[in-house]
Amino acid sequence: MFRTALRNVLAHKARLLMTVLAVMLGVAFVSGTLVFTSTISDAFRTSSQKSFDHVDVALTPPSPDGPPGTRAKAPRLDGKTLDTVSRLPGAASVTGTVDGFTGIGDKDGKLIGSGGSRGSNYFPGKDGKDARYPLKQGTAPTGADQFALDAGTAAKGGYHVGDTVRISADGPVRQQKLTGIFTTDDGRVAAGGSLALFDTRTAQQLFGLSGGYSQIDVEAAAGTSQAALQQAIGKALPKDSATTITGKELADLEAKAIDHDMEGMKTALLAFAAVALFVGIFLIANTFTMLVAQRTKELALMRAVGASRRQVTRSVLIEAFFVGAIAGVSGLAAGIGIAAVLREVLNGFVAKFPEGPLVVSPSTAVAALGIGIVITVLAAWLPARRGAKVPPVAAMNSVHAVATTKSLLVRNILGALVAGIGTASVVVATSVYEGDDTSKIMLGGGGMLLLVGVFILTPLLSRPLIALATPVLRAFGISGLLARQNALRNPRRTATTASALMIGLTLITGMTVIAGSTQKGIDKMAVDALKADYTVSMQGNTRLPTTAEKAVRDVPGVTALTPLRVGMATIGTGSAARQPTELTGVDGARFGSLVRLDISEGSLGTLRGDRVLVDENTADRNSWRAGSRLPVTFEDGKKATLTVSGVFKGNEMLNGVFLDNRTLAPHQKDISDKQLLVKLSGGATDAHKDDLIEALGKNPAVTVADKKDVSSAIASMFTLLLNMLYGLLAMAVIVAVLGVINTLAMSVFERSQEIGMLRAIGLDRRGIKRMVRLESLVISLFGGVLGVGLGVFMGWAVGQLIGAHLPTYELVLPWARMGLFLGLAALVGVLAALWPAFRAARLNMLAAIKAE
C-alpha cells in the first residue's frame, strides 16, 4: 500500500501541483511571519543590548508618592550623586545622561525622524570621548550654540559639519551649529528616530534639569559583579534617593518590551496566515475528493483483491503526507523569502528596523513542516474515508457517484442552524452589549459560525444565484447553457470552489467598509467638535513653548484663542479621594466660541470661578451630575470646591474635566500648553496658515493643522493600513484562484468523454473554451457576490461596536470598491479558466469518447 500511494503521487504530478501550491502558500505565510517577527525582535534586542554594553548599574530618580499637595519634593540625580558613585572602588566609569525632546528640521523646515525625536548630552570620559557615540566626522559639541547629530538624520537632512540647523529642544526654535556627526547603536535611532547631542550643561538647561541628570549609568571595574556594584551604590547613597537596576535587568526588560511590542504584529500576521490556510483547506479537500472520485474503480479493485477499508484510507493519507511534506519544505523556503521582502517593504514605507540577519529558528522549521503535513492529512481524511466506504461492486458500476437527496437535506438543515446561530450571535452582540469584551467575543464567534454556516449552505444557494445569470448566459448560445448546467451539476464542488473566494472577499469587503466608515466618523467628529479654524500642537507629546500663545495672539485676524493646559488634582477627600485626575484649563470666556459641545446636562455658559465641564464617561464613572460639588486638592496642596455646571458627550478630541485657566494657573508651578485652538476672521486659508507658521518661528516640531489636515492625516494612516491588509489578503485570493483552476482542470478531466461527444456533434474548439470560461466566471462571481454580501454585514456589525466609542461613526458603503471587488472576482474566473479551457479544447475527440 505504501508503494501504491507513492506511485499515485508520482503519477498525478500535474493534479497535485495545485494542492502543493495551496498548502505551500499558507505555510509560507506562517513561516514568513515567524521568521519576520523573530528577525525584527532579534535585531531590536541586539541593538538594545549593545546600548547596555557599558551599563552594569543604572540609577534613575525615584517616583514621587502621594497625591498632589502631599508629595515631598522628589530627590534628583544631581552632580553630588554622580560624584559619590564615581568614587566607589567598584565603579570603573560613571556617565550622567540628560534626555528630552529635540526636533530636527530639514532644509524646508519639516521635521526629520519618524521613530521619535530625542536630544541628549555628550558625556566625555577621561579620554575626552563618549564611548556611546563614536564620532564619524567633526568634533563633540562644547558650547551652547553647538550640537552633534546622528549620521542617519544628517543624511536625511543633507547636513554636513559646519552647517547651521534649525532645531526645537523643548521650546522655541534654535539655530545650532553642527560640529559633529556620530554613529550609535540606539534602537530608536535605528528605527528611524533622530538623536541630537549637546554638551552636558546646555542639555541640562534645555531640558529643565539644571545641574541634574535623567539617569546615571555605571560601568563596573574588573572583578566586580553587577549585583555587588548595585549593593555598594545602595549603601553609599541616602535611602530612597535613587532607584537602581542592573544592566542585565535593563536588557531583560527591554527584551520583554520588544517581544510585547512585536506580539501584536505577529498575531495580526498569523491571523492572515490562518485565513490563507483556512482557504487552502477547501482547495485540499476539494482536490482529494475529486482525486478519490476519479480513482474509485481503482480503489474498488484494490478492495476486491483483498485491501481493507483501513488500508485504502491509509494509502490516500500517505499520499497526503507526501504532498504536505513537500509543501512544508517549499513553504519554509518561500517563507524566508517573504520575510526578507516584508522587512524591506516595511523599512521603506512604514518604519525603519535595525539591521540584522534573518533568524530561522528550529521551532519555525518544525512548525512549517508540521502545519503542511497536518493540514493536508486532515483535509484528505474525509475524502479518503468516504472513498474507502464505497462497496467494490457499486464503485465498479459507478452507482455511488450521485449525492443523495437525504444527504443534501441534512447538509442544508445543519447549515441553516449554524448560520442562524451565528447571525443571532452577531445581532445580539451589536444590540445588547456596548463594545465590551463579551460583545467582541460574541461578534467574533458569531462571525465564524456565520461563515461556516454559509459555506455549508452554498450548494443550496448556488442554484438560485447562478440561475440569475441564465439570461446573460443565453446570449452565448449553447456554450452559455452548457456552462450553467456544468456549474449546477455538482453543487458541492461548485460551492467548495466558490467558498475559497468568498472568504477572502468577505474579509476584504468588511475591512473596507469599517475603514471608510471610521474615516467618515472621524471627519465628522473633527467638524462637529471644533469651531476653531486651526489647532496648534507639538510633536512627540511634548508641551508648546510658553511663548507660543502670545505669538499666535499677535497674528493679524485672530478673533478667538484658547490654550489647553494640563494640571493635576485629587478629587474627593479621605478614603473617597480618587487617583490624581487630569484637569484641562481653557480660556473660559472664549472656549464656547471655539468648540461645539453636545451638552446632555446643565449648560456650557461661561466657564469661570469654580465651574467645570465634564464629559459623560467621566461623569458616569464617578457618579457626577450637573450641580455636583467636587472637593479638590490642587498640585500645590491648596483645597477648593468645584461645581459641575455641565455634562457633555465627549470624543477623542475633547474629553475630561475643563475649567477656567484663571482658576487652575495659581496652583501650577510649571505652566505649559498641550494645544492651542485658534479662530481667524475669514476662516482657514493658506495665507492664515502661513502667518501662524511664521509667527511660531517656523518651528519644525510645531504642527499647525486645520480640520482638513486632521482628516488627511487620519486618512493616510487608514489608506496605508488598508493597502497592507489588501497585500496580506492577496494570499488568500491567490489560493482561491488555484482552487478554481484545480476544480476546472479536474472537471475537464472528469468530463473528457462528454467533451469528446460535444466535439463530435459539432461544438468547435472555440465553443469548448467559451463553455469552460463561462463556467469559471459564473462560479467566481457566485463566490464574489456571497463574499461582498457577507463583508458588508460583518462591516456593519463591527461598526456597531466602534460606534459605542466613536459616536460620530457612520456606515459608509463603498459602492465603487465593491464593484471593483466583483470585477476582481470576474477576473479571477477568467484567468483561472485559461489553462483548463485550453486543455479541454485540445482534447482528441476520439480518444476522449473512448475515455472512462
Side-chain angles (χ1 to χ4, degrees):
M1 297 304 296
F2 179 83
R3 288 196 299 270
T4 302
L6 184 59
R7 180 185 60 79
N8 283 326
V9 171
L10 298 175
H12 302 100
K13 301 183 188 71
R15 298 184 214 169
L16 291 176
L17 176 62
M18 297 297 179
T19 307
V20 171
L21 284 174
V23 183
M24 184 198 75
L25 285 172
V27 172
F29 212 160
V30 172
S31 57
T33 296
L34 295 175
V35 171
F36 172 75
T37 52
S38 297
T39 297
I40 300 305
S41 296
D42 184 74
F44 274 116
R45 192 179 294 111
T46 301
S47 178
S48 66
Q49 285 175 347
K50 284 181 181 177
S51 62
F52 297 133
D53 283 348
H54 301 286
V55 180
D56 290 303
V57 177
L59 287 74
T60 56
S63 301
D65 298 320
T70 65
R71 297 173 184 164
K73 186 177 180 181
R76 301 182 62 190
L77 298 179
D78 53 19
K80 183 178 178 182
T81 302
L82 187 140
D83 291 339
T84 300
V85 174
S86 62
R87 286 195 295 268
L88 292 175
S93 66
V94 180
T95 303
T97 302
V98 184
D99 280 313
F101 173 82
T102 301
I104 308 296
D106 62 17
K107 293 181 179 179
D108 295 324
K110 306 294 184 181
L111 186 70
I112 304 175
S114 59
S117 304
R118 294 173 46 245
S120 189
N121 63 315
Y122 189 88
F123 196 89
K126 295 177 182 178
D127 59 355
K129 299 178 181 179
D130 190 331
R132 301 171 299 174
Y133 310 115
L135 287 167
K136 183 179 179 182
Q137 299 173 27
T139 59
T142 56
D145 63 342
Q146 298 179 359
F147 85 116
L149 191 58
D150 71 272
T153 304
K156 290 176 189 175
Y159 291 126
H160 305 281
V161 172
D163 289 347
T164 299
V165 182
R166 296 170 63 82
I167 71 168
S168 174
D170 278 354
V173 174
R174 299 167 58 91
Q175 300 280 354
Q176 299 282 130
K177 183 179 179 181
L178 182 60
T179 62
I181 295 175
F182 61 90
T183 58
T184 176
D185 293 320
D186 191 307
R188 287 166 291 186
V189 175
S194 64
L195 178 61
L197 298 181
F198 308 91
D199 69 86
T200 299
R201 178 175 295 181
T202 301
Q204 289 171 333
Q205 292 173 347
L206 289 175
F207 305 133
L209 288 170
S210 182
Y213 300 94
S214 308
Q215 181 172 307
I216 295 176
D217 298 329
V218 188
E219 185 177 4
T224 302
S225 68
Q226 292 186 352
L229 180 59
Q230 184 182 31
Q231 187 176 16
I233 292 172
K235 291 179 180 179
L237 296 179
K239 187 178 180 181
D240 299 328
S241 63
T243 300
T244 60
I245 184 171
T246 65
K248 183 180 184 306
E249 290 171 335
L250 271 176
D252 291 343
L253 287 173
E254 188 81 5
K256 286 181 181 178
I258 291 168
D259 289 340
H260 181 268
D261 291 342
M262 294 299 299
E263 198 62 38
M265 181 182 290
K266 178 188 277 189
T267 301
L269 291 173
L270 286 175
F272 288 107
V275 171
L277 283 172
F278 188 51
V279 174
I281 287 173
F282 293 113
L283 174 55
I284 300 163
N286 204 22
T287 300
F288 277 94
T289 298
M290 297 174 73
L291 284 174
V292 169
Q294 291 170 10
R295 290 166 43 209
T296 302
K297 288 188 177 182
E298 175 190 328
L299 297 177
L301 183 61
M302 293 172 63
R303 292 285 311 282
V305 298
S308 65
R309 287 184 180 179
R310 183 174 295 177
Q311 286 178 310
V312 171
T313 302
R314 192 182 301 148
S315 71
V316 177
L317 294 182
I318 290 172
E319 292 180 44
F321 176 86
F322 282 119
V323 172
I326 294 169
V329 172
S330 56
L332 176 61
I336 295 171
I338 288 174
V341 172
L342 190 58
R343 181 173 64 171
E344 294 305 315
V345 169
L346 293 182
N347 256 336
F349 296 101
V350 180
K352 178 72 176 174
F353 300 118
E355 293 295 329
L358 287 172
V359 178
V360 184
S361 64
S363 60
T364 299
V366 171
L369 281 172
I371 290 171
I373 293 170
V374 170
I375 290 292
T376 309
V377 170
L378 286 178
W381 176 76
L382 190 59
R385 185 170 175 271
R386 189 185 298 132
K389 288 173 68 175
V390 178
V393 175
M396 289 180 181
N397 289 281
S398 301
V399 298
H400 67 287
V402 180
T404 64
T405 304
K406 180 181 176 182
S407 66
L408 287 175
L409 179 63
V410 171
R411 176 172 179 149
N412 292 338
I413 292 173
L414 177 63
L417 284 173
V418 174
I421 294 171
T423 303
S425 178
V426 170
V427 171
V428 170
T430 59
S431 58
V432 177
Y433 298 94
E434 296 184 351
D436 56 10
D437 289 339
T438 304
S439 61
K440 293 173 184 176
I441 293 171
M442 287 188 68
L443 179 62
M448 288 297 297
L449 286 175
L450 178 58
L451 268 177
V452 172
V454 171
F455 165 67
I456 297 173
L457 284 173
T458 40
L460 177 66
L461 297 173
S462 64
R463 290 189 176 277
L465 287 178
I466 291 177
L468 294 175
T470 301
V472 178
L473 292 174
R474 281 200 183 114
F476 294 94
I478 189 65
S479 295
L481 294 177
L482 287 171
R484 176 183 176 277
Q485 290 175 6
N486 289 333
L488 294 175
R489 179 185 300 179
N490 191 333
R492 286 181 172 174
R493 184 174 63 207
T494 297
T496 305
T497 306
S499 294
L501 191 59
M502 176 192 77
I503 293 170
L505 286 182
T506 295
L507 294 171
I508 292 174
T509 304
M511 284 185 291
T512 303
V513 170
I514 293 167
S517 301
T518 304
Q519 176 62 50
K520 179 74 172 178
I522 292 172
D523 288 348
K524 193 170 185 292
M525 179 183 69
V527 172
D528 289 353
L530 294 179
K531 294 180 185 176
D533 297 314
Y534 292 99
T535 62
V536 180
S537 58
M538 283 280 285
Q539 299 274 355
N541 295 320
T542 55
R543 303 299 181 213
L544 284 163
T546 54
T547 56
E549 181 188 355
K550 183 179 184 306
V552 171
R553 197 178 294 279
D554 292 338
V555 172
V558 171
T559 58
L561 167 69
T562 182
L564 272 60
R565 293 178 181 164
V566 178
M568 300 298 293
T570 300
I571 301 178
T573 57
S575 60
R578 295 172 175 82
Q579 290 294 322
T581 301
E582 184 176 286
L583 306 177
T584 302
V586 297
D587 184 336
R590 300 282 185 269
F591 191 54
S593 64
L594 291 162
V595 297
R596 189 180 288 106
L597 299 180
D598 186 356
I599 303 293
S600 55
E601 288 185 46
S603 63
L604 171 57
T606 301
L607 284 179
R608 62 180 182 274
D610 65 347
R611 294 163 59 96
V612 296
L613 282 173
V614 184
D615 75 278
E616 280 186 347
N617 289 339
T618 303
D620 292 342
R621 191 165 56 248
N622 295 285
S623 300
W624 296 340
R625 294 291 179 265
S628 296
R629 294 177 64 78
L630 314 177
V632 174
T633 303
F634 289 104
E635 291 180 61
D636 60 355
K638 294 184 179 179
K639 301 180 184 295
T641 301
L642 303 178
T643 302
V644 178
S645 63
V647 178
F648 66 94
K649 293 181 180 178
N651 54 50
E652 294 298 318
M653 299 184 70
L654 296 170
N655 58 67
V657 181
F658 292 85
L659 73 165
D660 188 38
N661 273 325
R662 287 173 293 182
T663 303
L664 178 64
H667 304 288
Q668 292 183 290
K669 180 180 179 182
D670 298 317
I671 295 177
S672 61
D673 302 330
K674 67 175 182 179
Q675 197 174 51
L676 298 178
L677 303 182
V678 188
K679 192 173 182 64
L680 296 99
S681 58
T685 65
D686 291 340
H688 282 155
K689 187 174 184 178
D690 291 340
D691 289 342
L692 290 172
I693 293 173
E694 187 71 34
L696 291 164
K698 296 183 178 179
N699 193 322
V702 173
T703 300
V704 178
D706 59 18
K707 297 170 189 177
K708 183 179 177 181
D709 293 331
V710 173
S711 298
S712 297
I714 297 170
S716 64
M717 289 188 290
F718 275 108
T719 301
L720 178 62
L721 179 62
L722 261 185
N723 289 338
M724 287 180 62
L725 294 178
Y726 288 159
L728 295 172
L729 284 172
M731 190 72 69
V733 175
I734 291 172
V735 175
V737 172
L738 293 175
V740 178
I741 297 173
N742 214 24
T743 299
L744 289 174
M746 292 189 171
S747 179
V748 166
F749 179 83
E750 278 185 346
R751 304 200 311 261
S752 294
Q753 191 176 60
E754 175 189 321
I755 291 171
M757 290 294 295
L758 289 172
R759 290 288 313 283
I761 61 176
L763 189 63
D764 59 11
R765 288 182 174 179
R766 181 177 297 178
I768 294 292
K769 286 183 179 179
R770 186 181 299 122
M771 177 188 72
V772 176
R773 287 171 186 159
L774 289 173
E775 179 185 349
S776 175
L777 186 63
V778 167
I779 293 174
S780 297
L781 282 176
F782 168 55
V785 169
L786 286 180
V788 170
L790 282 172
V792 169
F793 177 72
M794 293 306 300
W796 165 82
V798 174
Q800 293 298 106
L801 299 189
I802 295 175
H805 303 283
L806 182 64
T808 53
Y809 182 88
E810 181 180 328
L811 180 65
V812 175
L813 295 181
W815 295 106
R817 290 209 175 188
M818 288 193 293
L820 180 64
F821 297 154
L822 288 176
L824 175 65
L827 180 63
V828 165
V830 172
L831 294 177
L834 291 177
W835 179 60
F838 175 79
R839 185 172 178 227
R842 301 297 296 177
L843 283 175
N844 182 289
M845 68 178 73
L846 295 178
I849 291 172
K850 290 191 295 182
E852 296 188 5

